[in-house]
Structures are given as C-alpha cells and as structure tokens.
Amino acid sequence: MNNSIAAETIALPKLSTLLWRGFRQKCPRCGETRLFASFLKTPESCGTCHHELGAIRADDFPPYLTMFIVGHIIVPMILIVEKSSPMSISMNLKIWLPLTAVLTFWFLPRIKGLIVGLMMHIGLRGDETQ
Ligand SMILES: [Zn+2]
C-alpha cells in the first residue's frame, strides 16, 4: 500500500516516452518490467516502480485500433494483388487469413501497451463513470 502511494507521487514521463514504452510492452512509467503477465493480462502492479497496472482497463479500444490498422494494411494488399494477378478463393484464404492473424497477434499487445501508456498520461483507469 505504501509502495503504491509512493508510486503515485512520482512524476510520469512525457507522453511520447509513455507511448513508446507501452508499445515495447514495458511498464510505461519505468520502462523496466514487462507490461503483460500473459498475452494481454497486465499484472496488478509493476515489479519495479509498483505502479498499479492491473487497475488500468483499456477494454475494447486496443482491438478496435488493431482491426483499423491491420485492415488498412491487408485490404490494400488484397486489392493490389487481385488487380494485378487474380487468384482462386482458396489461394486467397491460404495467404490472407494467416497474414491477417499474424499481424493481429503482433499488433494487439503493442497497441494495448500504447493505450495503457496513453491512459496513464490522461489519468484514466477505465473504471470511470459517466
Ligand atoms: Zn514500472
């Protein structure tokens, strides 16, 4: 408890640092500890700076942003390939579905880390009421 109170009184780094550390899947505040205990699960607190990471709930924003980014990468590629050399549906599925999955699993934790850094900067925890 004293550690979390002490952690709250320490100034946060600038926004770009918070975002970059989150994107690298490190604690946005100290940049030392891994941000996720498992694929997308944040630990209750940072092992180094003791900032309460588990209380920050990004909810659905990281998946929405990931879909937006991956969609803007995959769809133009599909259109370019389809225009230059049309393929069968099964060949399209064999190429684009795995590529979409790989990009999604690569971007999702990084985007979530970025959003956690953004929420930390704004002071949101995800449990605000309207
Ligand atoms: Zn930390």
Side-chain angles (χ1 to χ4, degrees), residues 27-33 46-51 53:
C27 170
R29 169 169 258 173
C30 66
E32 296 295 324
T33 308
C46 174
T48 304
C49 70
H50 306 289
H51 189 81
L53 297 171

Side-chain angles (χ1 to χ4, degrees), residues 42 51-58 115-116 119-120 124-126:
T42 53
H51 189 81
E52 290 183 30
L53 297 171
I56 301 173
R57 302 170 60 100
I115 297 303
V116 167
M119 291 178 73
M120 202 179 275
L124 296 176
R125 297 168 57 102

Side-chain angles (χ1 to χ4, degrees), residues 78-98:
I78 292 173
L79 294 175
I80 290 168
V81 169
E82 192 62 29
K83 185 135 180 138
S84 62
S85 58
M87 295 183 288
S88 68
I89 291 176
S90 65
M91 190 57 129
N92 273 309
L93 292 175
K94 288 176 186 169
I95 293 171
W96 302 118
L97 286 181

Side-chain angles (χ1 to χ4, degrees), residues 11-62:
L12 287 173
K14 62 183 180 182
L15 176 62
S16 60
T17 303
L18 289 170
L19 296 178
W20 178 242
R21 287 175 178 170
F23 187 82
R24 289 178 39 233
Q25 303 173 65
K26 299 288 186 185
C27 170
R29 169 169 258 173
C30 66
E32 296 295 324
T33 308
R34 280 194 53 79
L35 182 58
F36 301 115
S38 60
F39 181 59
L40 292 175
K41 175 82 175 143
T42 53
E44 284 302 313
S45 63
C46 174
T48 304
C49 70
H50 306 289
H51 189 81
E52 290 183 30
L53 297 171
I56 301 173
R57 302 170 60 100
D59 289 337
D60 294 338
F61 191 44

Side-chain angles (χ1 to χ4, degrees), residues 1-12 29 49-51:
M1 192 64 163
N2 289 336
N3 286 339
S4 64
I5 292 170
E8 296 297 327
T9 58
I10 299 170
L12 287 173
R29 169 169 258 173
C49 70
H50 306 289
H51 189 81

